[in-house]
Amino acid sequence: MTECIQLAGGKVYDPANGIDGEVRDLYVEQGCMVETPSSSPRTIDVSGMVVMPGGVDIHCHIAGPKVNLARKLQPEDHRRDPHPGTEHTRSGAGGTVPSTFATGYRYATLGYTTAMEAAVTPIGARHTIEELHDTPVIDKGFYVLLGNNIFLQQLIRDGRKEEFRQAVAWWVNATKAYTTKLVNPGGDEPWKGKKNSNVKDIDEKSDFIPVSPRQVIDAFVDTVNELGLPHPPHIHCNNLGHSGNFQTTLETMKTAGDRRAHLAHIQFHSYAGELGKNPKSASREIAEYVNDHPNITCDVGQVMFGKSTIMTADAPLAYMLRGFKKGKWVNADTECESGCGIVPFSYQEHIYVHALQWAIGLELFLLSKDPWRIVLSTDHPNGGSFMSYPKLIRLLMDREFRREEIKRVNQKAINSTILNELEREYTLNEIAIITRAGPARALNLSNKGHLGPGADADITIYDEMADKEAMFNAPRYVIKSGALIIEDHEFRRDYYGKLLHTEPGYDESIVAEVRPFFENYYSIEFPNYAVDDSYLHDHEVIATV
Amino acid sequence: MPLLLRQIAAPDVPMEADNITPDRLTGQGAADVERLALMHGSESRSIGDFFSATGSYDGIIDLQGDDLKRVKFIGAGMSRGTIRVEGDVGEHLGAGMGGGEILVNGNATDWVGPEMSGGRIEIHGNAGHLTGSAYRGASVGMTGGEIMVHGNVRNETGNAMRGGLIAIGGNSGDFTGVNMLSGSIFVLGELGIRTGAGMKRGSIISMKDAPLLPTFSYSCTYRPGYMTLYLLHLSRVFAIAEEYLQGSYKRYCGDSVELNRGEILLYAG
């Protein structure tokens, strides 16, 4: 049941429609934004408040087998942060990796209404869809990991371009994914097969399958753009976290040429310095390249101090990080298609590397010239929980606050960056772009991230406050698909959003090619692999472009 | 006059009574106390449904009843005052407490004083598994205070303990001091198997010989200076034989799969 609502007198920030803080009325009917309603609306007086489209998280880890592994690994994290139910909402547990219910409700309490799970193995797709179905309020989708898929790498090796394209399209259909995800392309398989082996250079061919990361990236950028998936390949570059990795990142972007590509958590890939020594900032080089190439979008993957959980398909990276703290960790081998590692982690102000990562993220935000192509993210929960977004927004909007925070962290790290010289303050309009309009555009979600007629009525209304952290921490109203979910900071009803996925066309004959590979190497039967349509509940197929 | 809570109805299912602490009951009249909430299974009920309150809190809460075994979290998080219990108590007694004292004239069961940081718990009967330990998943358990059990305890006593004192008058089960980080555990009776598995630092002392893991190695037999001090402290509560005060102890160090800086001392006569 959705109401007909008039939002009267709010200051509207709708950058996709060129509206920057104008006072105007908005109308909601049948879950959509409308010019004029056909029935008499319920009027909500939002004068003096800030009205924005609902937030869109382009990169987070909120559902699926690896997320569940992280939950199981950290019962203490849940125990210390219970999430009580209310009259309308269900209970759960919080921490850096909240339970499904808590995830949905907590996103809603920040004004986010769409989130994309960024890394799901094909074999984990069914589990992911089940969990996403239980993640309330938000609309959601996921990216399927194909960058270390042995079958696809063999096709690349053999130069079978057409079969590769068909197979990628089949996989996206079979898993009900939104786009493809590459993680440390070409590196996980050798690591799984041989101690300490990983590809270290974008042109290095592993001795496992003689295919270089560049070939994998090129093949995916090509294919996904040809297939017209709404979002380009979502790339987690090689050498994440290593000093000097910005060269790899630049080469990755150069491989894309002028074709669409999305670089995930680019902060973790913007390090100068010598391999094995302390990193330095390469934010200028990376920001410059992104600024000059309109085909590239990226999300930052900001590090926020405090508890986090490293959760990645980059298994060699997790293996390296597990050595720093010597605490508990998990490695999971995921059949023939990816790797996985989970390491509970904590970013600390006084540690050089952590402070540098924090500073590099902020530099990237502040050096970016086109807010439409840089998206706010913490790579939840890798750089920190999504619950720290309001603080991050304040760091971007409030120079004085940023200066105070800079004083609290490792000064050696700060002095090796130009963060102190950056005076820029984000405006509310720019925040609306990097948290809403920009990611929606990068995802080609034409009904999200704006408030023009026909858009999904996903709306967040904040009290305007000087303290932006407090402001973005607690929207007064949250409307999801026309339903008033939060009113006066309280949940008024429950709501379950839909799965967003895409269905590129493919030639059925590719199935006969894929099938024998399964029968030879997989632990499950081929007919049980693809996710059946019965797993789709409320969903929307986003058209190819 | 202490506040007396006398059980008037037995619970059908386990209850969580974390409101029964001096911190919550200070300044409350008997009628107010009866109105405070407790969880009966998944239902929120009031203390008055199960207990009658008389008197008012003056630093001591007396808890009496025939079926307190299913009352969990008594004294959880308390920071001061005294709770005296007549009867057997349920799990999570004094969970996370930071101060004050809990005296149980009866048996306790699993999870006595998990993750406590201060204060004192004394059990006149037996206790169950995981006395003074970390909750599952946590890397640090008890960090301070003392737990004294006159009877026996079961497995994983002092799991991941980081400080404080646990003293057992009887025997302990297996894995005593598993993953211990520091602190002291005294077992006047017999230790079970795999004592100190994964311990980094800390001391585990027993008055009986015990089977040890192969990752513990014998270092010497000596008379530790601190032993007299500790045993005199324990003698206020337990009967400590004179020969323990004068005797020598075999020292084993371990666990060598970890730092190898922990010690197990076994009375050698």
Side-chain angles (χ1 to χ4, degrees):
Chain A
M1 190 195 72
T2 61
E3 302 166 81
C4 184
I5 302 171
Q6 176 189 24
L7 298 170
K11 254 167 102 177
V12 178
Y13 289 86
D14 182 8
N17 293 309
I19 299 167
D20 178 5
E22 275 173 46
V23 174
R24 56 165 70 197
D25 289 1
L26 294 172
Y27 296 94
V28 175
E29 191 169 33
Q30 300 290 331
C32 291
M33 305 306 298
V34 292
E35 198 101 46
T36 44
S38 58
S39 53
S40 76
R42 170 188 168 192
T43 300
I44 300 175
D45 179 13
V46 295
S47 50
M49 299 181 201
V50 168
V51 182
M52 287 188 183
V56 178
D57 198 338
I58 202 168
H59 186 111
C60 58
H61 301 278
I62 54 171
K66 71 174 186 315
V67 177
N68 233 11
L69 267 179
R71 292 182 183 124
K72 286 190 275 190
L73 185 65
Q74 304 175 88
E76 74 283 10
D77 207 28
H78 280 175
R79 179 166 57 84
R80 290 170 188 149
D81 186 14
H83 184 95
T86 69
E87 192 189 331
H88 303 286
T89 60
R90 299 183 63 161
S91 61
T96 52
V97 193
S99 63
T100 55
F101 300 123
T103 299
Y105 298 130
R106 287 186 174 192
Y107 260 118
T109 56
L110 296 184
Y112 271 73
T113 51
T114 306
M116 289 294 187
E117 158 59 53
V120 172
T121 54
I123 209 161
R126 179 178 284 108
H127 176 166
T128 305
I129 290 170
E130 295 270 67
E131 274 197 27
L132 287 177
H133 178 57
D134 268 346
T135 305
V137 186
I138 56 174
D139 288 342
K140 50 256 163 169
F142 66 89
Y143 313 146
V144 65
L145 288 157
L146 294 177
N148 281 297
N149 187 305
I150 294 177
F151 181 80
L152 290 172
Q153 289 192 1
Q154 285 171 349
L155 293 179
I156 296 171
R157 175 195 64 195
D158 300 341
R160 297 168 70 190
K161 248 186 116 174
E162 182 53 24
E163 285 90 341
F164 178 81
R165 191 161 73 103
Q166 298 299 341
V168 169
W170 175 79
W171 246 297
V172 170
N173 273 282
T175 54
K176 317 240 181 276
Y178 195 78
T179 190
T180 61
K181 171 80 182 288
L182 309 184
V183 171
N184 185 27
D188 276 27
E189 275 308 326
W191 185 80
K192 276 154 67 179
K194 190 171 149 200
K195 194 180 177 191
N196 290 335
S197 70
N198 189 359
V199 288
K200 293 183 176 62
D201 187 274
I202 193 167
D203 290 312
E204 180 185 336
K205 294 189 176 179
S206 85
D207 43 14
F208 183 70
I209 298 175
V211 171
S212 68
R214 195 190 294 277
Q215 282 173 282
V216 178
I217 294 161
D218 182 58
F220 274 96
V221 171
D222 213 39
T223 291
V224 171
N225 279 294
E226 262 180 50
L227 290 171
L229 299 190
H231 186 56
H234 200 90
I235 306 169
H236 158 142
C237 302
N238 303 87
N239 292 327
L240 183 146
H242 291 283
S243 299
N245 67 5
F246 81 103
Q247 295 290 4
T248 309
T249 314
L250 289 176
E251 286 304 314
T252 302
M253 292 193 281
K254 284 178 191 162
T255 306
D258 59 0
R259 298 166 296 182
R260 291 184 308 152
H262 182 93
L263 278 279
H265 38 70
I266 201 161
Q267 176 276 127
F268 289 109
H269 304 275
S270 302
Y271 307 149
E274 237 176 279
L275 187 64
K277 297 199 173 150
N278 263 348
K280 300 257 182 290
S281 169
S283 55
R284 269 170 292 191
E285 290 85 343
I286 296 293
E288 202 173 295
Y289 190 95
V290 174
N291 284 338
D292 292 344
H293 293 79
N295 58 311
I296 302 288
T297 54
C298 63
D299 63 90
V300 170
Q302 175 69 29
V303 155
M304 299 298 280
F305 298 114
K307 174 99 180 55
S308 80
T309 302
I310 307 290
M311 179 190 294
T312 179
D314 194 340
L317 172 81
Y319 178 72
M320 184 186 83
L321 291 173
R322 75 89 184 70
F324 293 152
K325 203 177 150 213
K326 299 198 162 49
K328 53 189 173 182
W329 76 294
V330 182
N331 171 58
D333 183 336
T334 44
E335 305 254 332
C336 302
E337 44 194 37
S338 187
C340 168
I342 317 278
V343 190
F345 204 76
S346 163
Y347 292 101
Q348 295 168 38
E349 285 94 339
H350 64 274
I351 296 178
Y352 171 85
V353 176
H354 300 181
L356 185 78
Q357 291 178 304
W358 178 80
I360 291 174
L362 293 175
E363 282 185 314
L364 287 165
F365 276 115
L366 299 170
L367 290 169
S368 148
K369 288 190 179 140
D370 183 0
W372 287 93
R373 293 186 293 106
I374 188 158
V375 179
L376 183 140
S377 80
T378 58
D379 188 12
H380 163 85
N382 285 284
S385 164
F386 63 79
M387 295 300 282
S388 58
Y389 287 177
K391 185 170 190 185
L392 176 53
I393 290 171
R394 186 171 181 202
L395 283 167
L396 297 177
M397 291 191 75
D398 184 341
R399 188 167 49 222
E400 288 312 310
F401 175 67
R402 191 161 70 223
R403 287 211 176 113
E404 290 305 309
E405 291 294 296
I406 287 172
K407 283 184 203 152
R408 297 175 55 225
V409 313
N410 185 307
Q411 292 304 303
K412 198 176 147 215
I414 294 298
N415 292 335
S416 73
T417 70
I418 54 163
L419 186 59
N420 264 323
E421 298 156 33
L422 299 173
E423 298 287 319
R424 180 173 173 194
E425 286 181 327
Y426 268 67
T427 62
L428 271 178
N429 197 52
E430 285 172 322
I431 293 296
I433 296 173
I434 65 171
T435 58
R436 293 145 156 88
R441 184 177 286 181
L443 290 164
N444 255 307
L445 285 168
S446 57
N447 293 333
K448 305 247 177 245
H450 74 103
L451 299 171
D456 291 345
D458 299 349
I459 310 168
T460 314
I461 300 163
Y462 301 98
D463 291 315
E464 187 155 21
M465 298 186 207
D467 178 348
K468 300 299 182 238
E469 183 179 352
M471 172 175 163
F472 282 93
N473 233 327
R476 183 169 285 275
Y477 298 97
V478 175
I479 296 172
K480 174 76 195 72
S481 297
L484 197 53
I485 307 292
I486 292 176
E487 187 177 349
D488 287 331
H489 308 297
E490 301 272 348
F491 278 95
R492 297 294 170 174
R493 58 170 291 181
D494 207 350
Y495 185 87
Y496 282 79
K498 61 196 168 198
L499 180 77
L500 306 169
H501 64 115
T502 183
E503 292 182 341
Y506 66 95
D507 183 349
E508 278 293 336
S509 65
I510 192 65
V511 174
E513 294 265 351
V514 184
R515 192 178 184 118
F517 181 76
F518 268 79
E519 280 159 5
N520 289 336
Y521 298 111
Y522 271 70
S523 63
I524 66 166
E525 291 293 321
F526 186 65
N528 295 335
Y529 183 71
V531 182
D532 188 75
D533 280 351
S534 63
Y535 282 85
L536 289 174
H537 302 276
D538 197 6
H539 70 112
E540 182 181 343
V541 178
I542 304 298
T544 51
V545 291
Chain B
M1 181 181 157
L3 177 75
L4 171 65
L5 289 172
R6 190 190 298 278
Q7 195 173 27
I8 51 170
D12 301 328
V13 289
M15 305 195 294
E16 296 187 357
D18 52 356
N19 268 337
I20 303 184
T21 72
D23 302 70
R24 302 277 173 88
L25 303 187
T26 305
Q28 308 259 25
D32 300 325
V33 170
E34 288 187 356
R35 272 196 295 275
L36 286 173
L38 52 70
M39 291 301 290
H40 179 245
S42 60
E43 280 180 347
S44 184
R45 302 279 290 274
S46 57
I47 289 179
D49 294 343
F50 299 95
F51 295 92
S52 71
T54 46
S56 65
Y57 175 70
D58 65 349
I60 296 176
I61 299 171
D62 276 317
L63 196 58
Q64 298 174 2
D66 298 329
D67 193 4
L68 296 170
K69 261 187 282 198
R70 284 190 284 180
V71 184
K72 301 183 186 178
F73 288 100
I74 294 168
M78 69 190 271
S79 66
R80 60 202 148 93
T82 300
I83 300 178
R84 296 189 299 213
V85 188
E86 285 293 329
D88 298 347
V89 292
E91 288 95 340
H92 309 284
L93 179 77
M97 70 189 277
E101 189 173 31
I102 302 177
L103 306 169
V104 178
N105 200 5
N107 298 314
T109 178
D110 303 342
W111 300 108
V112 170
E115 300 186 5
M116 71 188 276
S117 58
R120 186 165 183 280
I121 299 177
E122 187 175 342
I123 313 281
H124 282 271
N126 301 321
H129 298 296
L130 292 143
T131 299
S133 92
Y135 275 120
R136 293 304 187 206
S139 53
V140 177
M142 175 174 176
T143 55
E146 62 182 41
I147 299 177
M148 302 209 174
V149 180
H150 289 254
N152 303 323
V153 291
R154 302 178 75 185
N155 302 338
E156 293 189 52
T157 299
N159 180 337
M161 175 178 188
R162 195 181 193 161
L165 171 67
I166 297 176
I168 311 300
N171 304 326
S172 76
D174 301 339
F175 284 105
T176 302
V178 59
N179 291 338
M180 198 169 168
L181 302 166
S182 63
S184 311
I185 301 176
F186 282 77
V187 178
L188 302 180
E190 308 247 349
L191 288 164
I193 57 171
R194 296 176 191 151
T195 299
M199 77 190 287
K200 287 196 167 79
R201 297 186 177 82
S203 306
I204 302 170
I205 298 104
S206 175
M207 299 307 157
K208 306 273 191 272
D209 214 7
L212 296 185
L213 286 166
T215 47
F216 281 79
S217 48
Y218 173 73
S219 40
C220 62
T221 300
Y222 75 131
R223 292 171 65 181
Y226 72 83
M227 192 64 78
T228 320
L229 216 60
Y230 268 78
L231 290 176
L232 285 174
H233 177 67
L234 294 184
S235 67
R236 296 176 201 170
V237 173
F238 301 99
I240 301 290
E242 184 64 23
E243 60 259 36
Y244 296 158
L245 288 164
Q246 308 299 333
S248 303
Y249 292 81
K250 287 182 285 182
R251 183 181 191 274
Y252 293 83
C253 58
D255 186 338
S256 61
V257 298
E258 283 291 342
L259 282 180
N260 206 33
R261 299 217 176 135
E263 61 178 6
I264 296 177
L265 299 171
L266 303 177
Y267 175 66

